[in-house]
Amino acid sequence: MKDKILKILQDCRPEFNFSEEGLNFIEEGMLDSFDVVNLVSDLDSTFGISIDGMDILPENFSTLEAIMNLLKKNGVNE
């Protein structure tokens, strides 16, 4: 799951290294609201899920761990 998420993030914003530990993608300016919308779409199609609109909050996309937790909440068990 982690590798798939990193690939999606890199495809979205290739100018950043999302694999660095301790980064907050939102606070660091690596992802903006438009990127999050694209990320939700890519995650939905890659993992065959539908992320609820109530879960589309900056804190759910701020770190790699937060994204993985969101996917687990939506039934992804990879």
Side-chain angles (χ1 to χ4, degrees):
M1 174 185 347
K2 182 178 180 179
D3 290 336
K4 286 183 180 179
I5 296 168
L6 285 171
K7 170 130 179 46
I8 291 168
L9 289 166
Q10 286 302 138
D11 289 348
C12 180
R13 297 295 297 267
E15 67 271 25
F16 295 115
N17 180 4
F18 290 95
S19 61
E20 288 182 38
E21 291 292 320
L23 284 179
N24 183 312
F25 307 144
I26 305 296
E27 287 179 5
E28 298 286 334
M30 298 167 78
L31 294 176
D32 60 23
S33 57
F34 183 73
D35 295 324
V36 169
V37 170
N38 287 329
L39 185 57
V40 167
S41 175
D42 291 344
L43 291 170
D44 282 356
S45 62
T46 299
F47 292 100
I49 60 171
S50 181
I51 296 173
D52 187 272
M54 298 296 288
D55 287 330
I56 303 175
L57 303 168
E59 57 265 23
N60 288 334
F61 299 92
S62 61
T63 65
L64 189 56
E65 184 177 352
I67 296 170
M68 290 186 348
N69 289 336
L70 177 63
L71 292 178
K72 287 176 188 172
K73 177 182 174 186
N74 281 276
V76 177
N77 295 315
E78 291 185 34

